[in-house]
Amino acid sequence: DSGVTQTPKHLITATGQRVTLRCSPRSGDLSVYWYQQSLDQGLQFLIQYYNGEERAKGNILERFSAQQFPDLHSELNLSSLELGDSALYFCASSVGTVGGELFFGEGSRLTVL
Amino acid sequence: AQKVTQAQTEISVVEKEDVTLDCVYETRDTTYYLFWYKQPPSGELVFLIRRNSFDEQNEISGRYSWNFQKSTSSFNFTITASQVVDSAVYFCALSEGINTGTASKLTFGTGTRLQVTL
């Protein structure tokens, strides 16, 4: 158990819909990362927050957005969903120090039909 | 740009065989960190090891060992006497942004699927 909690574990929805994925980082970790894992793209970095502020952005679509709240939990919002958004979405957290390892949650598996 | 290459897509071995998973990286940073993660069939990503760019000492942890060679930009992972429970996808990763002083994201390789059979 990494200490990172993600909900929901599984989600099935239709094209055009909007979903929110939630992540609670490990106690004490200030940095939260979101990754997308799909068969064709592998593990792709989406976005990073540190203590409530956006710190780095990767290949995140404009239809996707995220935020980190004062209690440090984070949400990833995916809107106008397309079939290609079906993937495993991971949240990870770290203390925030340089070079620190990331601890990953179990992921949220999104299926868009 | 940072890049991690895991050329071996899939490896199959028989239990008790030794197996080495290759990882080659590219970076312009002088300070960086390398990682290995394991993704078992259950899907979670499990941290295995972290190595910084100034420490080229090989590391051994039980049946696992890692060989970091800066001269060839490689960070290979060897499992000795493999077991069925080692079956998983293994990812090599590189951290960037160290020089900016911020906690940085990881760039992952495409992973190597290891299948260990009896």
Side-chain angles (χ1 to χ4, degrees):
Chain A
D1 183 1
S2 67
V4 179
T5 304
Q6 287 187 249
T7 57
K9 285 188 169 39
H10 300 275
L11 192 54
I12 300 174
T13 189
T15 54
Q17 294 298 304
R18 172 191 169 93
V19 298
T20 297
L21 309 180
R22 194 178 191 278
C23 169
S24 294
R26 291 189 323 157
S27 177
D29 283 359
L30 299 178
S31 206
V32 169
Y33 310 74
W34 286 96
Y35 281 82
Q36 179 194 57
Q37 185 179 31
S38 58
L39 283 175
D40 54 344
Q41 295 289 327
L43 269 163
Q44 296 286 315
F45 168 70
L46 296 178
I47 198 163
Q48 175 197 358
Y49 282 85
Y50 178 79
N51 205 18
E53 292 185 4
E54 182 184 303
R55 187 56 65 96
K57 221 167 183 176
N59 300 322
I60 187 167
L61 300 171
E62 283 191 12
R63 299 183 286 109
F64 296 179
S65 65
Q67 55 183 326
Q68 186 179 28
F69 294 87
D71 67 352
L72 301 178
H73 91 272
S74 177
E75 292 181 357
L76 178 66
N77 301 297
L78 315 174
S79 61
S80 302
L81 286 168
E82 302 175 358
L83 296 178
D85 297 328
S86 296
L88 188 54
Y89 291 85
F90 283 107
C91 170
S93 73
S94 75
V95 172
T97 54
V98 169
E101 61 265 40
L102 273 60
F103 293 90
F104 284 80
E106 293 183 347
S108 292
R109 184 168 294 281
L110 173 66
T111 302
V112 182
L113 300 176
Chain B
Q2 317 273 332
K3 187 179 178 183
V4 177
T5 301
Q6 294 180 257
Q8 304 151 309
T9 305
E10 192 161 345
I11 301 175
S12 291
V13 298
V14 176
E15 204 176 39
K16 296 183 185 174
E17 283 185 11
D18 298 347
V19 58
T20 295
L21 310 181
D22 298 333
C23 172
V24 173
Y25 63 92
E26 295 174 30
T27 179
R28 292 183 180 176
D29 287 348
T30 54
T31 304
Y32 52 89
Y33 285 78
L34 295 162
F35 301 78
W36 276 94
Y37 281 82
K38 172 182 180 180
Q39 187 175 35
S42 50
E44 73 272 24
L45 283 162
V46 179
F47 165 76
L48 294 179
I49 191 173
R50 175 187 60 190
R51 171 69 70 219
N52 76 54
S53 54
F54 295 108
D55 182 2
E56 289 193 68
Q57 262 195 325
N58 291 333
E59 181 156 341
I60 297 174
S61 176
R63 296 184 297 107
Y64 295 172
S65 62
W66 291 269
N67 180 266
F68 175 32
Q69 291 197 343
K70 218 167 172 177
S71 60
T72 56
S73 297
S74 65
F75 186 42
N76 297 337
F77 173 30
T78 297
I79 302 175
T80 302
S82 59
Q83 299 177 0
V84 172
V85 293
D86 295 327
S87 296
V89 180
Y90 291 87
F91 291 93
C92 181
L94 169 70
S95 69
E96 60 184 16
I98 297 295
N99 290 334
T100 66
T102 60
S104 55
K105 67 178 178 71
L106 299 181
T107 297
F108 284 86
T110 51
T112 297
R113 181 178 300 277
L114 174 65
Q115 184 71 40
V116 182
T117 56
L118 294 172

